[in-house]
Amino acid sequence: MALITYREALNQALREELDRDERVFIMGEEVGYFGGAFKVTDGLIAAYGEKRIRDTPISELTIVGAGVGAAMGGLRPVVELMTINFALLAIDQIVNTAAKARYMFGGQTKVPLVIRAPQGGGHQLGAQHSQSLEAYFVHCPGIRVALPATAADAKGMLKYALRQEDPVMFLEHESLYGLKGEVPEDEYLVPFGKANVMREGKDVTIVAYSKTVHDALKAADILENQGTDAEVIDLRTLNPLDIGTVLESVKKTARAVIVYEGWLTGGAGAEVASRIYEAAFDDLDAPIQRVASADVPMPYNRHLEAAALPSPGQIVAAVERIM
Amino acid sequence: MYRLAEDELLEIYRLMTLIRRFEDKVAEMYTRGKITGFCHLYAGEEAIAVGALHGLYDKDYVVSTYREHGHCLAKGASPRVVMAELFGKSTGISKGRGGSMHLFDPVLRFMGGYAIVGGGLPIATGLALSIAYRGDPEVVCCFFGDGALPQGAFHESLNMASLWKLPVIFVCENNFYGMGTLVQNAICQEELYRFADPYKIPGIRVDGMDVIEVYAAVSEAAARAREGKGPSLIEAITYRFRGHSMSDPAEYRSKREERLWQERDPIKRFRTLLTHERRIAPSVLDKIDQEETAVVDDAVKFADESPEPPLSELTKNVYVEE
């Protein structure tokens, strides 16, 4: 095992797939000579050249649309959107084309396109640069949604994304890029649709994904000191959603808290809660709790921002409400 | 036109006739309730699809809009499977999942009708990128209407395709109306070909009712694209003989205006050219008319008798990996 950052893990995944498959290429704003706004593609243009590492104009709609066209034309594009906030300029091509081309054309084409985008708050970037928009894409059938929480998953899931055949929103968390983690030395893939039980426990199930997995693990440590044994599940992907692992856990603990950084209302966690209620209502001893971002545009002020985001303290409080 | 052999001219006449007969039959079937949903007909604009695609090879790609029956037939699709798609049948060109606006055939390299105005241009740009990436000799022909010009996708795509010298031909079918809105009420520069200038690509306006003029312009643009010199913008002036869709009686247009354009009917005009200048006997053309009428009747019979897609397949093909 090697100890590397989430950012380095993504960079390694891209290098390995660029080496493996000539059809793989990267395009996006500042991915080349700048090395990526968050330095994920650092050094790639020197190693692979302009044909495979392509700087684009600021044209999100056409960057994604051209990615769809190139994928339908037989390539394996990795499109980087500088942040998820700019995906809203491209949402027509994501929702109306990438997610639908296969179905509406009678299964006669495929769109193996990976759209990478950082998201999340916590850096005082204000209302237009702090969003977590996974629910927008989870709502739409036809496109996978992956949100790695660790360096090992960042690498293994990105490599898997480039080997499967469907379009993927690959959502990275800005706060995780510098996070170090153990990554296997040998080649490995992390398939979609398999949740990861990060910590076993018997009293309550905390379901999380992306950065909130780490908040949940911190909350579990606090709860342990209070005598509550929490199980923490990292969903890894929201589409496909591994509800089986969640239900199995809830049947054991009879309590569930769902943690996500998107807004509380209409968030992906609401879908998880519904699935639990539909399939395991009789196993529950208490109502499901959600911990998410406050329903406000993100404020700049750091105290207000911290209050708007989910935190370990809020997760502990949510668990205490139902114990 | 004298560069074209007689058999080519007859093939052009046949395809234009097929499209007209097909669209007239579609209107009839729509009125009879056999075809439903949105349905945008191509009657009047046949010279553009047929002229453009006569200037390209089979291996070249086409990206289209929701008014794409003509493009699809001109690319070589069987009228049977196009009609079956409009009927929503499992034998349709998109297996009954697409309908009138979403025809697709990967073998013919007909890469789809896209029903968001301007939505096909980024796709065409990406397809052209995949061609350039592999160093292949093909080009992409991207059709869209005048209504797409104010869209960001148009400007982003022309910029990107020009910047990267991609092999794509942007063919704007200017029929003067985006639904019911006149071009001059929607676009500050109504000479649409001039939008090529800021993107440093050739821009040309052609008579879209003259199949040979369209053919010549697309041939030239294709040669340029194959030489690695990048995209072109062709504005073809045309007129749709029917409303925006089957639910539009086109009351915003005057009868006089419609009559004036009917007099410029691209098929009648081409027929006159063939009989007068090339001395082709009218009986030869009459025979083609009859044959294409029969082809369309056969397409309707095929569509009508084809099975519906099974309900058990509702969720099939949302993903490759189910």
Side-chain angles (χ1 to χ4, degrees):
Chain A
M1 299 287 258
L3 190 66
I4 61 170
T5 64
Y6 185 93
R7 174 187 289 112
E8 288 164 339
L10 293 164
N11 187 280
Q12 280 185 11
L14 292 170
R15 283 175 190 270
E16 289 177 18
E17 294 307 297
L18 284 159
D19 286 337
R20 186 187 64 83
D21 187 346
E22 190 64 32
R23 299 171 302 170
V24 173
F25 76 102
I26 298 171
M27 67 174 166
E29 296 155 7
E30 310 294 352
V31 298
Y33 291 104
F34 195 88
F38 291 88
K39 299 294 175 195
V40 171
T41 55
D42 202 23
L44 296 186
I45 196 160
Y48 298 94
E50 290 180 347
K51 179 184 164 191
R52 304 191 68 197
I53 313 297
R54 189 175 284 265
D55 279 319
T56 66
I58 303 172
S59 304
E60 285 84 3
L61 176 66
T62 295
I63 297 168
V64 172
V68 175
M72 288 169 71
L75 300 182
R76 293 273 173 167
V78 181
V79 161
E80 176 177 314
L81 292 173
M82 193 180 287
T83 78
I84 196 64
N85 311 286
F86 312 152
L88 298 178
L89 287 154
I91 203 160
D92 167 51
Q93 286 292 344
I94 298 170
V95 170
N96 279 321
T97 315
K100 291 181 175 53
R102 180 170 181 78
Y103 191 91
M104 78 181 181
F105 295 144
Q108 299 177 102
T109 189
K110 60 186 179 182
V111 185
L113 166 68
V114 177
I115 302 170
R116 290 184 39 244
Q119 67 169 13
H123 296 90
Q124 285 192 270
L125 300 181
Q128 294 184 333
H129 278 72
S130 303
Q131 303 174 97
S132 291
L133 298 181
E134 66 277 6
Y136 284 45
F137 308 106
V138 171
H139 183 59
C140 176
I143 187 159
R144 302 301 190 188
V145 182
L147 304 104
T150 66
D153 278 0
K155 183 172 179 181
M157 286 167 66
L158 185 52
K159 282 169 68 77
Y160 181 80
L162 276 157
R163 305 223 191 159
Q164 57 86 62
E165 304 287 342
D166 292 306
V168 180
M169 288 301 294
F170 196 88
L171 304 177
E172 300 154 12
H173 198 290
E174 290 175 24
S175 297
L176 296 179
Y177 282 128
L179 183 78
K180 285 189 173 174
E182 296 280 354
V183 172
E185 305 273 3
D186 293 336
E187 179 162 73
Y188 68 100
L189 302 175
V190 177
F192 291 174
K194 295 205 184 336
N196 192 12
V197 180
M198 302 289 281
R199 175 193 171 118
E200 290 189 18
K202 60 178 177 15
D203 297 331
V204 61
T205 301
I206 306 176
V207 182
Y209 55 87
S210 190
K211 177 181 169 288
T212 59
V213 171
H214 303 282
D215 298 326
L217 289 169
K218 283 179 196 146
D221 286 343
I222 297 166
L223 289 164
E224 187 178 19
N225 291 332
Q226 298 174 4
T228 300
D229 187 15
E231 182 148 302
V232 176
I233 295 174
D234 174 6
L235 289 173
R236 286 176 161 158
T237 56
L238 291 171
N239 179 352
L241 177 64
D242 179 9
I243 200 66
T245 296
V246 174
L247 293 175
E248 206 175 300
S249 175
V250 169
K251 281 175 184 171
K252 177 173 69 177
T253 64
R255 290 176 170 81
V257 174
I258 300 155
V259 193
Y260 55 100
E261 199 181 304
W263 293 294
L264 180 75
T265 300
E271 179 65 27
V272 177
S274 289
R275 300 278 184 108
I276 298 171
Y277 279 128
E278 283 165 357
F281 183 79
D282 290 339
D283 295 309
L284 290 169
D285 285 345
I288 296 168
Q289 301 293 301
R290 286 180 294 156
V291 177
S293 282
D295 286 332
V296 296
M298 191 62 77
Y300 166 69
N301 175 277
R302 70 187 167 105
H303 302 296
L304 292 175
E305 182 181 40
L309 289 166
S311 65
Q314 290 175 40
I315 300 168
V316 170
V319 170
E320 286 170 346
R321 284 199 297 273
I322 55 172
M323 289 310 294
Chain B
M1 105 165 249
Y2 296 100
R3 285 162 51 203
L4 294 175
E6 185 170 312
D7 60 342
E8 285 183 86
L9 295 170
L10 291 178
E11 175 61 10
I12 288 170
Y13 180 80
R14 187 189 69 77
L15 274 173
M16 289 205 292
T17 303
L18 166 65
I19 295 169
R20 178 68 56 85
R21 303 280 153 124
F22 187 92
E23 296 293 61
D24 287 349
K25 185 61 78 175
V26 168
E28 182 192 329
M29 290 297 126
Y30 196 93
T31 309
R32 287 173 51 186
K34 291 282 188 182
I35 298 171
T36 46
F38 285 149
C39 190
H40 312 83
L41 300 183
Y42 198 63
E45 307 188 10
E46 295 91 344
I48 303 172
V50 176
L53 297 185
H54 195 74
L56 300 176
Y57 295 113
D58 288 349
K59 289 192 77 176
D60 292 323
Y61 297 86
V62 168
V63 171
S64 186
T65 68
Y66 48 84
R67 192 184 303 288
E68 90 275 40
H69 308 165
H71 305 132
C72 194
L73 292 168
K75 192 77 176 82
S78 153
R80 282 185 161 195
V81 296
V82 179
M83 190 66 83
E85 187 62 31
L86 307 191
F87 276 55
K89 298 299 183 70
S90 64
T91 54
I93 198 164
S94 298
K95 318 299 174 200
R97 307 313 199 271
S100 167
M101 301 190 285
H102 303 303
L103 308 178
F104 189 89
D105 188 328
V107 177
L108 294 172
R109 299 198 163 174
F110 185 81
M111 301 305 284
Y114 298 86
I116 307 296
V117 171
L121 283 95
I123 303 298
T125 302
L127 276 165
L129 177 59
S130 73
I131 292 167
Y133 188 91
R134 283 189 292 262
D136 285 345
E138 290 99 32
V139 304
V140 182
C141 185
C142 178
F143 295 102
F144 51 93
D146 47 270
L149 267 82
Q151 285 281 33
F154 170 84
H155 298 276
E156 292 185 9
S157 294
L158 261 68
N159 178 59
M160 201 179 277
S162 175
L163 191 67
W164 295 344
K165 299 216 178 317
L166 299 178
V168 53
I169 305 163
F170 295 108
V171 179
C172 175
E173 301 176 325
N174 181 0
N175 62 24
F176 297 102
Y177 294 89
M179 280 189 79
T181 301
L182 267 171
V183 167
Q184 54 262 45
N185 293 337
I187 306 170
C188 59
Q189 170 56 273
E190 58 193 276
E191 292 177 337
L192 304 182
Y193 70 98
R194 293 179 63 177
F195 280 104
D197 294 346
Y199 301 108
K200 296 186 174 181
I201 62 173
I204 182 177
R205 175 179 266 193
V206 299
D207 180 355
M209 310 304 260
D210 182 337
V211 69
I212 302 299
E213 199 175 319
V214 176
Y215 158 75
V218 170
S219 300
E220 197 175 313
R224 180 186 151 81
R226 282 188 232 282
E227 286 168 20
K229 292 180 179 169
S232 302
L233 174 63
I234 296 170
E235 177 193 9
I237 301 294
T238 187
Y239 200 77
R240 54 172 152 74
F241 286 174
R242 294 176 182 269
H244 168 71
S245 70
M246 279 305 293
S247 53
D248 169 26
E251 284 168 350
Y252 43 84
R253 308 193 305 199
S254 71
K255 293 296 160 211
R256 182 172 173 276
E257 176 184 302
E258 290 183 357
R259 200 169 53 245
L260 284 172
W261 280 98
Q262 293 277 0
E263 286 168 13
R264 305 186 60 205
D265 185 321
I267 300 175
K268 283 183 191 154
R269 201 162 142 190
F270 189 60
R271 188 185 167 100
T272 305
L273 202 76
L274 294 181
T275 52
H276 287 58
E277 291 191 25
R278 294 300 290 256
R279 301 285 168 203
I280 291 172
S283 61
V284 173
L285 304 177
D286 291 343
K287 184 159 171 286
I288 292 175
D289 291 350
Q290 287 160 15
E291 284 167 0
E292 296 315 306
T293 301
V295 163
V296 170
D297 287 343
D298 167 72
V300 167
K301 186 167 181 288
F302 174 81
D304 210 24
E305 291 172 356
S306 287
E308 305 272 350
L311 295 180
S312 62
E313 288 187 359
L314 173 67
T315 61
K316 193 181 163 189
N317 286 324
V318 178
Y319 304 97
V320 180
E321 297 172 23
E322 306 280 343

